[in-house]
Amino acid sequence: MEPILKSIFDSAVDGIVVIDAKGLIKAFNPAAERLFGYRAEEALGQNVKLLMPSPDREQHDDNLARYLETGVARIIGKGREVRGLRKDGSVFPLHLSVGRMEIDGQPAFTGILHDLSRTSEIMEALRRSEERLRSIVESAVDGIIVIDDRGMIQAFNPSAERLFGYSVGEALGRNVSMLMPSPDRERHDGYMRRYLETGEQKIIGIGREVIGLRKDGTTFPVHLSVGEMVENGRRSFSGILHDLSDRAALEHRLAEQK
């Protein structure tokens, strides 16, 4: 491994796991050791499903074989929320991005994993206590935005201000679509109306990677988790946003090194 690439690999905050076409772990960085509780020497050569709870563990080899046969990608090149399994048997949420590369002419896959345990804790706390909510919203590292059933911003914490470049005074009372680039901006109100009419969930309760739009017009990747609340018969929605810019920059640097 080249010195620059090794430095990135060893110092990355997010876990990095490389597997071959058989699903066997070929690289396992220090952050992955901390995430899963395995030392690198324990993980290397093991099937990556070691790090997955059921039913993902049982399905992984077939999913990988199907991709290699058909080329139909269900996760490669897309960020998604999955569950990890630690050495001690505990299960935790994480955001996974998978990229494909070749090693000695053979396909291999790089997974970059961000621990979402803290995000899950925040979501649970949001449901429990208004007082705790206020404290968490103000001090949370991740952006937290609350909107009403018309999409109007009702709460916008300091981290959201830093993420998007708007002050809370500029954001409150405006449609949350202001934080989205096209075509999401134009589609958002329609999606919300459809959900309120049909109850069909496409993002609520499901973490996913989206693109945010800053006040200065720049865009950036974020992981978004959305929860629904009902108060006095009115629905509102809380979104927790984790900035993925550093992860995206890391993926770009890794790709350049390869």
Side-chain angles (χ1 to χ4, degrees):
M1 187 179 294
E2 296 181 13
I4 294 177
L5 180 56
K6 186 177 189 307
S7 175
I8 295 171
F9 183 80
D10 290 341
S11 63
V13 174
D14 288 339
I16 301 175
V17 180
V18 178
I19 64 171
D20 65 14
K22 297 179 181 178
L24 304 183
I25 298 172
K26 312 304 290 184
F28 198 78
N29 78 334
E33 292 182 305
R34 294 189 293 272
L35 268 180
F36 293 99
Y38 290 98
R39 299 190 309 277
E41 53 266 33
E42 294 179 290
L44 294 177
Q46 298 286 327
N47 192 297
V48 72
K49 64 186 179 184
L50 170 79
L51 310 177
M52 305 173 187
S54 295
D56 298 332
R57 175 194 295 261
E58 291 77 20
Q59 297 170 356
H60 179 264
D61 288 348
D62 288 342
N63 291 340
L64 180 57
R66 189 177 304 113
Y67 166 72
L68 291 172
E69 291 172 2
T70 67
V72 177
R74 295 190 176 184
I75 185 172
I76 295 169
K78 305 171 186 176
R80 64 179 291 185
E81 187 171 332
V82 299
R83 296 182 306 150
L85 177 66
R86 298 188 182 95
K87 183 178 180 180
D88 64 9
S90 59
V91 177
F92 66 105
L94 52 86
H95 182 272
L96 169 65
S97 300
V98 179
R100 175 171 175 163
M101 58 181 181
E102 288 194 356
I103 298 177
D104 297 329
Q106 297 298 314
F109 305 90
T110 302
I112 297 182
L113 307 108
H114 176 77
D115 187 359
L116 294 176
S117 300
R118 179 58 180 158
T119 299
S120 296
E121 292 171 5
I122 292 174
M123 292 296 288
E124 180 61 26
L126 285 171
R127 289 190 287 268
R128 289 183 177 177
S129 165
E130 183 177 349
E131 181 178 346
R132 184 179 294 178
L133 166 63
R134 187 177 302 110
S135 173
I136 290 173
V137 166
E138 294 301 318
S139 63
V141 174
D142 289 340
I144 299 178
I145 299 173
V146 178
I147 64 173
D148 65 16
D149 57 5
R150 296 176 301 151
M152 301 302 171
I153 298 173
Q154 303 297 302
F156 198 78
N157 79 334
S159 289
E161 291 182 296
R162 291 189 292 272
L163 269 179
F164 292 97
Y166 291 96
S167 68
V168 62
E170 294 175 304
L172 293 182
R174 297 183 63 183
N175 193 297
V176 72
S177 62
M178 68 184 276
L179 308 177
M180 307 170 187
S182 296
D184 295 331
R185 176 194 295 261
E186 291 78 14
R187 295 172 176 172
H188 178 264
D189 289 351
Y191 288 155
M192 176 165 281
R193 284 195 301 271
R194 192 173 304 114
Y195 169 69
L196 293 172
E197 292 170 359
T198 67
E200 181 182 355
Q201 298 182 4
K202 292 195 173 181
I203 187 170
I204 295 170
I206 304 170
R208 63 181 292 185
E209 184 174 337
V210 298
I211 301 298
L213 176 68
R214 298 188 182 95
K215 183 180 179 179
D216 65 7
T218 58
T219 58
F220 64 107
V222 292
H223 181 272
L224 171 65
S225 301
V226 179
E228 181 177 1
M229 304 172 285
V230 179
E231 184 176 4
N232 298 325
R234 293 294 299 272
R235 292 179 180 178
S236 58
F237 305 88
S238 59
I240 297 182
L241 304 105
H242 177 77
D243 188 357
L244 296 176
S245 299
D246 289 344
R247 190 220 65 194
L250 172 62
E251 290 178 337
H252 180 69
R253 292 178 66 186
L254 287 171
E256 287 185 332
Q257 288 300 313
K258 290 197 290 289

